[in-house]
Amino acid sequence: MSLPIFPRHILPSSLQFKIVPNSSVSTGPGRTSEVWTRPGAYWTFSGSWSKVRYAQGRELSNFIDALDGSRGEFMMWDSTHTQLGDWAGNIVVDGNDQSGTVLKIKNAIPNALIAPAGDRFQLDNYLYKLLEDAVADNIGECTLRFRPQLLSIPVSGTGLIVNDPMNKMMLPDNQQGPSFAQRKLVLNDFSISGYTSIRA
């Protein structure tokens, strides 16, 4: 069953859409630091909506109510992001049992820039951001380097979604959405947030 998509036509006034790493630092005597980098990074978003008309506010409220709080999952987009790469060819995953923060792909245009660092791709409802320029070799193969780590093991031959890539999210609590406490045709400012949903 496909997941619902957060309403695309009700754009936020501002949006933060970013990766939160799972690293930690411990500073001891003499200001000596120990740093641990672990898998487990995830996407978060926080959007603010300003002067939303009543009808659109109701639509957002209905969407969130249908999620039943943190129980529901949905696909979230980043209205602030623009892809800069062509991602030309018929790019697919090259090989099974891949994990971590690298991914072998094939069927790109040989000897060409696939996409620059900062571009994103979607696999199995999860979003990833390139950390290095992706350049195909003479047979159209490449190893992508990205964050966060793969959150599912893709099947060889699976295509990458590069046009309007999104990420599977959940609400952090049951208090999200606009308020209709006052009888107005235009709602006051409100915010909605979420983070990557990883479930069995």
Side-chain angles (χ1 to χ4, degrees):
M1 183 178 67
S2 61
L3 294 173
I5 298 174
F6 196 94
R8 296 297 308 259
H9 57 286
I10 310 177
L11 293 175
S13 307
S14 63
L15 179 68
Q16 290 188 345
F17 201 105
K18 63 181 181 180
I19 297 172
V20 177
N22 188 25
S23 59
S24 60
V25 178
S26 175
T27 302
R31 306 301 299 169
T32 301
S33 298
E34 293 185 18
V35 180
W36 293 271
T37 300
R38 308 179 181 92
Y42 58 95
W43 289 94
T44 66
F45 82 89
S46 178
S48 296
W49 282 258
S50 177
K51 295 181 172 54
V52 174
R53 294 191 176 276
Y54 179 78
Q56 290 188 329
R58 279 186 53 161
E59 185 178 349
L60 279 176
S61 179
N62 291 339
F63 180 87
I64 290 171
D65 287 345
L67 293 173
D68 195 19
S70 298
R71 185 186 71 84
E73 297 177 298
F74 59 96
M75 298 302 295
M76 186 62 188
W77 34 264
D78 182 0
S79 60
T80 69
H81 177 74
T82 299
Q83 298 279 72
L84 298 181
D86 292 332
W87 293 92
N90 181 29
I91 299 173
V92 298
V93 175
D94 183 16
N96 289 311
D97 301 321
Q98 299 194 63
S99 61
T101 56
V102 295
L103 180 73
K104 294 180 181 179
I105 60 169
K106 62 182 179 180
N107 297 346
I109 301 299
N111 298 317
L113 174 68
I114 299 170
D119 263 23
R120 300 171 182 177
F121 65 94
Q122 178 187 330
L123 267 178
D124 299 332
N125 288 338
Y126 292 111
L127 183 67
Y128 305 97
K129 176 182 178 180
L130 293 179
L131 295 185
E132 297 179 359
D133 292 353
V135 180
D137 63 16
N138 61 351
I139 58 173
E141 296 181 351
C142 179
T143 298
L144 305 181
R145 302 184 185 281
F146 52 87
R147 290 289 187 279
Q149 68 291 333
L150 286 170
L151 296 175
S152 62
I153 299 177
V155 176
S156 185
T158 300
L160 277 61
I161 298 174
V162 297
N163 294 319
D164 195 24
M166 294 183 279
N167 191 62
K168 182 170 69 170
M169 298 283 198
M170 61 182 286
L171 301 176
D173 53 52
N174 299 331
Q175 308 300 320
Q176 301 292 309
S179 171
F180 295 91
Q182 297 178 342
R183 297 179 61 85
K184 293 183 178 180
L185 294 179
V186 177
L187 301 185
N188 292 331
D189 296 357
F190 60 90
S191 298
I192 300 171
S193 61
Y195 56 86
T196 299
S197 179
I198 308 170
R199 304 182 188 181

